[in-house]
Every structure is written in structure tokens, then in C-alpha cells.
Amino acid sequence: ILLMALQRAIINYFQILGAMESQVGGGPAGPALPNGPLLGTNGATDDSKTNLIVNYLPQNMTQDEFKSLFGSIGDIESCKLVRDKITGQSLGYGFVNYSDPNDADKAINTLNGLKLQTKTIKVSYARPSSASIRDANLYVSGLPKTMSQKEMEQLFSQYGRIITSRILVDQVTGVSRGVGFIRFDKRIEAEEAIKGLNGQKPLGAAEPITVKFANNPSQKTGQALLTHLYQSSARRYAGPLHHQTQRFRLDNLLNMAYGVKRFSPIAIDGMSGLAGVGLSGGAAGAGWCIFVYNLSPEADESVLWQLFGPFGAVTNVKVIRDFTTNKCKGFGFVTMTNYDEAAMAIASLNGYRLGERVLQVSFKTSKQHKA
DNA sequence: TATAATT
């Protein structure tokens, strides 16, 4: 009976999420229109200097958050967070096409390596889209535990240009698990690497390695899907009250099914005492507005992303600048979607020393700007 | 023995 109730609740929950996404999401940007100066001699657009691919995005980042983060650098021609066509889940990567090549360069320099929650995002130029670069990812197992990422790359680089490589490690000890991934620029290169290396012993190794095409990571088991849903349920949009009650109802069911408690008492009890503090609506989307005081005159938006991003979903950041000098006036605002993440960020960052300055961080109140 | 890299 519990499982049936859980199943119903999950179906119900997906419908609610779907409705919320369509209200809040803002939708994917349309295709980039040909832009005069960027037309090549063959009539094709050349966006190689403006179009970026962004990888390792947090699973729960929305299109709006994505646009807000990259829009803080400069004017965006188009951007898209890529989602699974059927489930609507983020695939963890996206594209940003800037109007100005200088802004694309700036985005790589300032946002590549930015830590957001548990992820370190990667920002790089997108290669021209083509069938020849798809399905070029290899799964490698049986690697010697002593082999480094660099050594694995050296082994594979004879077959082509490597785009990414990774060796999986034990989360506790940090020691190699003997498995990894190699993404080549071209699928043909990956095919050649399989022919050349599958079943072969690396120099000095005791065992042969297995090299094959990697599975697509979007296929999940029912268990993994449930786990995922459970994790994402607490991270969503703080939203209107009827969504809150829905959220807690589902959470209680999941708590029963998994025997774990997700919400801290403060996240539940805290809500009732917070009328009028921090919670904002408006065009930027609902969320908890945080006041950040004692920023340096040189502070910019990327500082706020770096400070608050690790704590959870950030929808917007703003540095308040002097109109004439364009220098920061010493304060800014950050909007976060979820109360518990905002509270954690405030608790952690209030009193935080940034260079020579000690930050004051709190929920925004109506009369703080006079201080 | 499995990570969200081509719209």
C-alpha cells in the first residue's frame, strides 16, 4: 500500500514539476539567427568565437539560473540548458552564444572552474556541431591502480585528439578504482583506440585493459530515478504555499520509504516566523533575497557567484555600482531559491573574511540600504 | 564496471 501511495505521489509530483517548469522555466532560447558580420563566404554562420559549451552543471540548475550566470558577463545572443526530451531532466550541460567574442573569452576566463554545489563547471568553446563528434566517449576498465590520468592520456593520445579524460577514484581514500573515461574529438578516433587497446596490457601492467564505447549516462534504474527524485524534491523552488504542502507530503512519503529525514527543523519551523523577510517574487523569479555588505570597490558578479554558488541554487546576483565610476558601492544582493540553502549560506558567509574585509551577510530587509 | 560533451 505504501509503495502504491508512493507511486501515485511520484506521478502527481512530476505533473506538478511540469506545471512549475512551464511557469518558472522561461523555456529554451530559440535558435540563433544568422548575424550579419558572422556570415561566412559559404553563407554558414561562424559562431566559433562566440559559442560556448558548459559542462558539469549541477543537476538542479534551471534555464533561468543558467542564463543569469552567463548573462552576468555580457549580452547573450542565445543560450540553452540541454534537457532530456522525455523526462525534462537537465543533462548537465548547455550552450551560450554571446553577441561579442570578447564576452565569450571573458566567460571562459572568469567562469571556467567555478564551483557550484558539488560540481566544478567547465566552460569552453563549442566545436561545430557534427555527427562525426558524437558517441566518441570510451569506458576503460582494468587500468593499473597506479596509472595517472596523464599516463592514461598518453596511452590513448596516439589514436587522436582527446577532449576529456577522467579516472574514477574511491571517494574516501582517493585511490584509483581502475576505471576511467576518454572522450575523443572524433568517433573514428575512438573506434581506432578500441581496436588498438582493448584487451592489451599497458607497458608494465599485469592485466589487460577493456576499452569500449561508454553507455549513455541518461539511462537510469528505477531505484536511481527514485533516489534522484528524492534528492531533487528538497532543492526545488520555494514557491507558493500550496506547493510547499505538496512538497512536504511527498517528502514524508519518501521519508517513510527510505527511513531518512530530509528537512531540518529550522526549514519547517522557520517558515512561519519569516513573513516579509527576504522572500521575493517578481521577474527574476521567486526566491530568498540576501544582502551582502562590505564588498570591495573592485567586486563583480563573479565574486558573488563564487561565494554563494556552492551552497545551492542561486537565481540571481547583483553588485550595486556607482553610476559614474562604475565601482561597487560596497554591497550587493543574491537571490537563492531554497530557504535552507540560503540560511546555510548566510550562516557560513556572515563574518567571512574576503581579502581585508569582513562580510556582513543577512536576509534582505526593507530598510537595510540606508545603513 | 559507469560520468551527465554537441543544441
Side-chain angles (χ1 to χ4, degrees):
Chain A
I1 291 171
L2 172 62
L3 284 176
M4 285 171 61
L6 181 58
Q7 199 171 28
R8 273 205 308 277
I10 287 166
I11 292 165
N12 192 8
Y13 186 72
F14 268 122
Q15 289 167 345
I16 292 164
L17 279 191
M20 281 165 53
E21 291 288 332
S22 59
Q23 291 167 7
V24 178
L33 293 170
N35 201 350
L38 297 176
L39 281 175
T41 50
N42 61 0
T45 56
D46 176 17
D47 54 9
S48 63
K49 297 287 193 290
T50 58
N51 195 29
L52 304 180
I53 184 165
V54 185
N55 292 294
Y56 312 114
L57 292 166
Q59 168 58 228
N60 55 32
M61 180 173 248
T62 65
Q63 166 79 20
D64 283 352
E65 290 165 1
F66 183 59
K67 185 171 186 180
S68 179
L69 173 57
F70 285 88
S72 70
I73 301 293
D75 284 346
I76 290 174
E77 178 74 23
S78 63
C79 75
K80 182 175 188 178
L81 176 68
V82 179
R83 292 180 179 279
D84 184 286
K85 284 187 185 68
I86 297 161
T87 66
Q89 294 287 339
S90 165
L91 295 183
Y93 65 93
F95 297 89
V96 181
N97 197 9
Y98 283 99
S99 307
D100 183 343
N102 293 318
D103 287 333
D105 183 65
K106 188 175 163 193
I108 291 173
N109 287 323
T110 67
L111 296 179
N112 184 42
L114 176 68
K115 286 179 171 52
L116 292 176
Q117 298 167 236
T118 62
K119 303 287 186 180
T120 302
I121 71 170
K122 180 176 176 184
V123 185
S124 54
Y125 289 110
R127 292 169 288 160
S129 185
S130 143
S132 65
I133 67 171
R134 294 184 58 176
D135 302 315
N137 197 23
L138 296 180
Y139 173 75
V140 188
S141 59
L143 292 165
K145 300 280 199 285
T146 54
M147 183 180 272
S148 69
Q149 182 183 4
K150 186 174 279 183
E151 289 168 334
M152 182 175 71
E153 282 202 7
Q154 281 168 3
L155 181 61
F156 282 83
S157 61
Q158 57 186 310
Y159 297 98
R161 177 185 166 206
I162 294 169
I163 300 299
T164 55
S165 71
R166 171 168 298 180
I167 288 180
L168 302 186
V169 298
D170 184 285
Q171 291 201 349
V172 179
T173 66
V175 69
S176 166
R177 294 164 64 186
V179 304
F181 293 88
I182 295 271
R183 179 178 298 278
F184 280 101
D185 182 38
K186 295 286 192 291
R187 179 173 173 98
I188 300 172
E189 297 167 342
E191 287 170 357
E192 291 304 315
I194 292 174
K195 285 180 196 162
L197 292 176
N198 183 39
Q200 300 293 312
K201 283 186 206 168
L203 218 58
E207 299 298 325
I209 61 173
T210 301
V211 184
K212 54 194 195 181
F213 282 109
N215 292 337
N216 192 317
S218 64
Q219 281 99 348
K220 281 188 175 165
T221 65
Q223 176 67 266
L225 229 171
L226 267 183
T227 304
H228 180 259
L229 173 73
Y230 168 71
Q231 286 168 346
S232 60
S233 71
R235 314 193 60 82
R236 293 277 170 178
Y237 184 54
L241 265 178
H242 59 279
H243 287 155
Q244 286 290 342
T245 51
Q246 204 68 48
R247 192 178 84 170
F248 287 128
R249 236 175 59 194
L250 174 63
D251 240 70
N252 289 337
L253 276 168
L254 290 164
N255 288 344
M256 284 190 279
Y258 286 92
V260 274
K261 184 155 168 50
R262 178 64 179 77
F263 284 96
S264 62
I266 191 170
I268 298 168
D269 298 334
M271 292 293 182
S272 55
L274 286 169
V277 180
L279 189 57
S280 70
W288 299 91
C289 189
I290 298 167
F291 176 65
V292 186
Y293 183 71
N294 212 16
L295 294 168
S296 88
E298 314 307 324
D300 65 1
E301 271 74 8
S302 78
V303 169
L304 294 178
W305 284 108
Q306 288 176 45
L307 285 170
F308 288 81
F311 292 95
V314 175
T315 53
N316 194 42
V317 303
K318 186 165 187 63
V319 166
I320 304 303
R321 294 185 166 84
D322 182 276
F323 186 79
T324 53
T325 67
N326 212 31
K327 298 281 187 189
C328 174
K329 290 171 78 171
F331 64 99
F333 298 98
V334 174
T335 306
M336 295 187 71
T337 304
N338 303 306
Y339 173 81
D340 48 359
E341 293 168 350
M344 186 60 75
I346 291 168
S348 304
L349 294 174
N350 185 38
Y352 180 82
R353 180 169 157 175
L354 184 63
E356 303 297 297
R357 296 158 175 276
V358 175
L359 298 183
Q360 292 174 38
V361 183
S362 64
F363 282 114
K364 178 185 182 294
T365 65
S366 50
K367 45 185 169 183
Q368 217 153 20
H369 53 281
K370 291 174 185 166

